[in-house]
Amino acid sequence: MIEHRYGVAGMTCGHCASFVTEEIERIEGVTAVNVDLTNDKVIVTSDRELALADVRAAVDEAGYELTGQEH
Amino acid sequence: MSTLDTTDPTKFMVDYLTSFNEEILRSDEDAGQIVDHYYANDISLMADGQRMGRDDLIAHVRPIRKNRATSRVEVHEAVVDGDRIAARYTLYVSVRGRDLVIEVHFFGRFTPDGRMFEGHMLTRNVDTDADEFASGQAANESEAS
Ligand SMILES: [Cu+2]
Protein backbone atom coordinates (compact mmCIF):
# COMPACT_ATOMS: atom_id res chain seq x y z
CA MET A 1 0.00 0.00 0.00
CA ILE A 2 1.22 3.45 -0.89
CA GLU A 3 0.19 6.52 1.03
CA HIS A 4 0.54 10.08 -0.20
CA ARG A 5 -0.43 13.37 1.37
CA TYR A 6 -1.70 16.25 -0.72
CA GLY A 7 -2.46 19.84 0.13
CA VAL A 8 -5.95 20.90 -0.95
CA ALA A 9 -7.23 24.46 -0.52
CA GLY A 10 -10.80 25.48 0.09
CA MET A 11 -12.19 22.57 2.08
CA THR A 12 -14.06 24.01 5.02
CA CYS A 13 -16.74 21.60 6.06
CA GLY A 14 -17.68 17.95 6.04
CA HIS A 15 -19.40 18.36 2.71
CA CYS A 16 -16.26 19.70 1.09
CA ALA A 17 -14.46 16.67 2.46
CA SER A 18 -16.99 14.26 0.98
CA PHE A 19 -16.94 15.89 -2.47
CA VAL A 20 -13.16 15.66 -2.64
CA THR A 21 -13.18 12.10 -1.30
CA GLU A 22 -15.76 11.05 -3.85
CA GLU A 23 -13.75 12.31 -6.81
CA ILE A 24 -10.39 10.95 -5.68
CA GLU A 25 -11.94 7.53 -4.98
CA ARG A 26 -12.71 7.25 -8.68
CA ILE A 27 -9.05 7.15 -9.60
CA GLU A 28 -8.02 3.60 -10.36
CA GLY A 29 -5.92 2.04 -7.64
CA VAL A 30 -7.18 4.24 -4.83
CA THR A 31 -8.23 2.20 -1.80
CA ALA A 32 -8.83 4.90 0.81
CA VAL A 33 -9.14 8.65 1.10
CA ASN A 34 -8.91 10.56 4.37
CA VAL A 35 -9.44 14.29 4.69
CA ASP A 36 -7.74 16.33 7.38
CA LEU A 37 -9.83 19.51 7.33
CA THR A 38 -7.83 21.30 9.99
CA ASN A 39 -4.59 21.07 8.02
CA ASP A 40 -6.04 21.28 4.48
CA LYS A 41 -4.66 17.84 3.70
CA VAL A 42 -5.92 14.77 1.92
CA ILE A 43 -4.30 11.42 2.63
CA VAL A 44 -4.71 8.97 -0.21
CA THR A 45 -3.95 5.27 0.05
CA SER A 46 -3.50 3.33 -3.17
CA ASP A 47 -2.21 0.02 -4.42
CA ARG A 48 -0.11 1.69 -7.11
CA GLU A 49 1.65 4.98 -7.79
CA LEU A 50 -0.80 7.70 -8.78
CA ALA A 51 -0.11 10.36 -11.38
CA LEU A 52 -0.19 13.78 -9.76
CA ALA A 53 -2.12 15.06 -12.78
CA ASP A 54 -4.94 12.58 -12.07
CA VAL A 55 -5.20 13.64 -8.45
CA ARG A 56 -5.13 17.29 -9.48
CA ALA A 57 -7.90 16.71 -12.02
CA ALA A 58 -10.06 14.90 -9.44
CA VAL A 59 -9.65 17.68 -6.89
CA ASP A 60 -10.41 20.27 -9.56
CA GLU A 61 -13.52 18.37 -10.62
CA ALA A 62 -14.79 18.54 -7.06
CA GLY A 63 -14.29 22.33 -7.15
CA TYR A 64 -11.13 22.57 -5.06
CA GLU A 65 -7.50 23.29 -5.66
CA LEU A 66 -4.54 20.99 -5.22
CA THR A 67 -1.71 22.99 -3.69
CA GLY A 68 0.92 20.29 -3.77
CA GLN A 69 2.09 16.84 -2.82
CA GLU A 70 4.14 16.10 0.26
CA HIS A 71 7.00 13.68 0.06
CA MET B 1 -28.59 44.72 2.37
CA SER B 2 -30.72 44.17 5.47
CA THR B 3 -29.50 45.35 8.84
CA LEU B 4 -30.24 43.91 12.25
CA ASP B 5 -31.87 47.00 13.75
CA THR B 6 -34.46 47.52 11.03
CA THR B 7 -35.34 43.99 9.95
CA ASP B 8 -37.37 41.25 11.56
CA PRO B 9 -34.79 38.75 12.95
CA THR B 10 -36.13 35.80 10.99
CA LYS B 11 -36.25 37.76 7.78
CA PHE B 12 -32.76 39.13 8.39
CA MET B 13 -31.36 35.61 8.68
CA VAL B 14 -33.24 34.34 5.62
CA ASP B 15 -32.13 37.31 3.52
CA TYR B 16 -28.54 37.09 4.67
CA LEU B 17 -28.11 33.39 3.95
CA THR B 18 -30.09 33.38 0.72
CA SER B 19 -28.52 36.40 -0.88
CA PHE B 20 -24.96 35.33 -0.12
CA ASN B 21 -25.46 32.07 -1.96
CA GLU B 22 -27.39 33.70 -4.79
CA GLU B 23 -24.74 36.34 -5.30
CA ILE B 24 -22.08 33.67 -5.55
CA LEU B 25 -24.02 31.83 -8.25
CA ARG B 26 -25.41 34.81 -10.10
CA SER B 27 -22.36 37.02 -10.47
CA ASP B 28 -18.85 36.42 -11.73
CA GLU B 29 -17.61 38.92 -9.24
CA ASP B 30 -14.36 38.25 -7.49
CA ALA B 31 -14.91 35.86 -4.56
CA GLY B 32 -13.11 38.24 -2.20
CA GLN B 33 -15.48 41.05 -3.05
CA ILE B 34 -18.56 38.94 -2.45
CA VAL B 35 -17.23 37.69 0.87
CA ASP B 36 -16.50 41.29 1.87
CA HIS B 37 -20.15 42.21 1.29
CA TYR B 38 -21.21 39.67 3.89
CA TYR B 39 -18.33 39.39 6.33
CA ALA B 40 -16.21 41.95 8.13
CA ASN B 41 -12.51 41.71 7.22
CA ASP B 42 -11.55 40.43 10.64
CA ILE B 43 -14.38 37.86 10.70
CA SER B 44 -13.99 35.22 13.35
CA LEU B 45 -16.20 32.26 12.58
CA MET B 46 -16.18 28.93 14.37
CA ALA B 47 -18.08 26.28 12.43
CA ASP B 48 -18.21 22.83 13.98
CA GLY B 49 -14.96 23.44 15.80
CA GLN B 50 -13.19 24.73 12.69
CA ARG B 51 -12.00 28.31 12.71
CA MET B 52 -12.76 30.02 9.42
CA GLY B 53 -11.22 33.31 8.45
CA ARG B 54 -11.67 35.51 5.39
CA ASP B 55 -9.33 33.33 3.28
CA ASP B 56 -11.27 30.18 4.10
CA LEU B 57 -14.56 31.85 3.22
CA ILE B 58 -13.12 33.02 -0.09
CA ALA B 59 -11.75 29.57 -0.88
CA HIS B 60 -15.20 28.12 -0.21
CA VAL B 61 -16.81 30.28 -2.94
CA ARG B 62 -15.18 28.38 -5.80
CA PRO B 63 -16.64 24.95 -4.96
CA ILE B 64 -20.10 26.47 -4.43
CA ARG B 65 -19.83 27.98 -7.91
CA LYS B 66 -18.26 24.99 -9.54
CA ASN B 67 -20.81 22.60 -8.06
CA ARG B 68 -23.71 25.02 -8.68
CA ALA B 69 -24.85 24.41 -5.12
CA THR B 70 -28.29 25.86 -4.55
CA SER B 71 -29.91 26.18 -1.18
CA ARG B 72 -33.12 27.12 0.51
CA VAL B 73 -33.28 28.11 4.14
CA GLU B 74 -36.01 27.76 6.70
CA VAL B 75 -35.46 29.80 9.86
CA HIS B 76 -37.28 28.26 12.82
CA GLU B 77 -36.57 31.01 15.31
CA ALA B 78 -34.30 34.01 15.62
CA VAL B 79 -33.70 36.37 18.53
CA VAL B 80 -31.90 39.70 18.37
CA ASP B 81 -30.18 41.59 21.17
CA GLY B 82 -28.27 44.67 20.03
CA ASP B 83 -25.74 43.51 17.42
CA ARG B 84 -26.27 39.85 18.33
CA ILE B 85 -28.52 37.30 16.78
CA ALA B 86 -29.23 33.71 17.75
CA ALA B 87 -31.02 31.52 15.27
CA ARG B 88 -31.99 27.96 14.54
CA TYR B 89 -32.42 27.13 10.91
CA THR B 90 -32.43 24.31 8.40
CA LEU B 91 -30.62 24.47 5.07
CA TYR B 92 -31.89 22.44 2.16
CA VAL B 93 -28.96 22.16 -0.20
CA SER B 94 -28.85 20.67 -3.67
CA VAL B 95 -25.37 19.84 -4.80
CA ARG B 96 -23.81 17.33 -7.17
CA GLY B 97 -27.16 15.66 -7.70
CA ARG B 98 -27.75 15.16 -4.01
CA ASP B 99 -30.13 16.77 -1.58
CA LEU B 100 -28.70 17.57 1.81
CA VAL B 101 -30.60 18.72 4.85
CA ILE B 102 -28.46 20.53 7.40
CA GLU B 103 -29.70 21.73 10.75
CA VAL B 104 -27.83 24.75 12.12
CA HIS B 105 -27.67 26.43 15.52
CA PHE B 106 -26.06 29.82 15.18
CA PHE B 107 -24.96 32.74 17.34
CA GLY B 108 -23.52 35.75 15.58
CA ARG B 109 -22.74 39.45 15.73
CA PHE B 110 -23.21 41.86 12.87
CA THR B 111 -21.87 45.30 11.96
CA PRO B 112 -24.40 48.15 11.63
CA ASP B 113 -24.36 47.67 7.83
CA GLY B 114 -25.27 43.99 8.13
CA ARG B 115 -21.97 42.13 7.80
CA MET B 116 -21.05 39.29 10.13
CA PHE B 117 -18.01 39.92 12.31
CA GLU B 118 -18.36 37.06 14.74
CA GLY B 119 -20.09 33.73 14.41
CA HIS B 120 -20.38 30.37 16.13
CA MET B 121 -22.27 27.52 14.61
CA LEU B 122 -22.93 23.87 15.13
CA THR B 123 -24.38 21.94 12.26
CA ARG B 124 -25.89 18.52 11.94
CA ASN B 125 -26.69 16.54 8.83
CA VAL B 126 -30.23 15.33 8.97
CA ASP B 127 -30.70 11.83 7.66
CA THR B 128 -33.78 12.38 5.54
CA ASP B 129 -34.52 8.66 5.34
CA ALA B 130 -34.62 8.25 9.08
CA ASP B 131 -37.96 7.97 10.85
CA GLU B 132 -36.82 10.54 13.34
CA PHE B 133 -36.88 13.19 10.66
CA ALA B 134 -40.20 12.09 9.24
CA SER B 135 -41.91 12.06 12.61
CA GLY B 136 -40.23 15.35 13.59
CA GLN B 137 -41.74 16.95 10.52
CA ALA B 138 -45.15 15.53 11.29
CA ALA B 139 -44.98 16.81 14.86
CA ASN B 140 -44.05 20.30 13.64
CA GLU B 141 -46.90 20.37 11.22
CA SER B 142 -49.49 19.35 13.77
CA GLU B 143 -48.12 21.95 16.18
CA ALA B 144 -48.54 24.62 13.59
CA SER B 145 -52.13 23.78 12.74
CU1 LIG C 1 -17.84 23.04 2.61
Side-chain angles (χ1 to χ4, degrees):
Chain A
M1 282 295 156
I2 309 166
E3 196 183 275
H4 281 305
R5 301 168 66 84
Y6 303 90
V8 173
M11 300 182 300
T12 51
C13 67
H15 300 109
C16 295
S18 69
F19 301 151
V20 170
T21 301
E22 214 167 78
E23 288 300 331
I24 294 179
E25 273 174 347
R26 289 177 198 219
I27 303 172
E28 219 164 310
V30 170
T31 53
V33 180
N34 281 296
V35 174
D36 175 356
L37 275 182
T38 319
N39 298 305
D40 295 321
K41 294 274 180 288
V42 177
I43 300 115
V44 181
T45 313
S46 54
D47 60 12
R48 67 197 77 166
E49 274 303 335
L50 302 174
L52 184 59
D54 291 344
V55 180
R56 188 182 298 280
V59 170
D60 187 71
E61 182 55 36
Y64 300 81
E65 196 190 333
L66 191 87
T67 55
Q69 180 179 358
E70 288 176 15
H71 295 279
Chain B
M1 189 136 176
S2 316
T3 58
L4 261 191
D5 53 340
T6 59
T7 319
D8 167 71
T10 301
K11 184 169 173 355
F12 173 84
M13 223 45 227
V14 172
D15 288 351
Y16 183 85
L17 296 163
T18 310
S19 64
F20 180 51
N21 207 72
E22 274 176 3
E23 203 169 318
I24 288 172
L25 294 184
R26 179 167 25 88
S27 81
D28 286 328
E29 207 181 332
D30 175 64
Q33 271 178 332
I34 297 181
V35 166
D36 290 341
H37 290 168
Y38 292 87
Y39 296 91
N41 276 328
D42 57 350
I43 172 71
S44 149
L45 179 62
M46 280 296 274
D48 295 331
Q50 286 269 122
R51 180 169 295 284
M52 287 177 70
R54 182 172 179 269
D55 291 348
D56 302 304
L57 291 163
I58 291 171
H60 205 229
V61 169
R62 184 171 176 254
I64 295 175
R65 266 192 185 146
K66 164 100 194 177
N67 291 317
R68 307 299 304 166
T70 56
S71 67
R72 182 172 68 77
V73 61
E74 208 173 288
V75 174
H76 310 297
E77 59 179 317
V79 182
V80 167
D81 178 21
D83 64 3
R84 284 169 209 277
I85 186 164
R88 289 193 303 117
Y89 56 88
T90 301
L91 291 170
Y92 298 86
V93 182
S94 253
V95 63
R96 298 174 75 79
R98 249 180 301 160
D99 293 318
L100 306 168
V101 179
I102 307 161
E103 214 176 67
V104 185
H105 286 216
F106 169 81
F107 281 82
R109 298 178 72 190
F110 289 79
T111 59
D113 62 354
R115 288 173 303 139
M116 190 193 299
F117 68 92
E118 197 183 295
H120 296 269
M121 59 170 89
L122 287 180
T123 72
R124 180 178 87 93
N125 286 331
V126 180
D127 182 355
T128 46
D129 297 327
D131 289 340
E132 177 208 341
F133 179 71
S135 60
Q137 284 292 93
N140 283 343
E141 276 159 22
S142 57
E143 237 171 65
S145 58

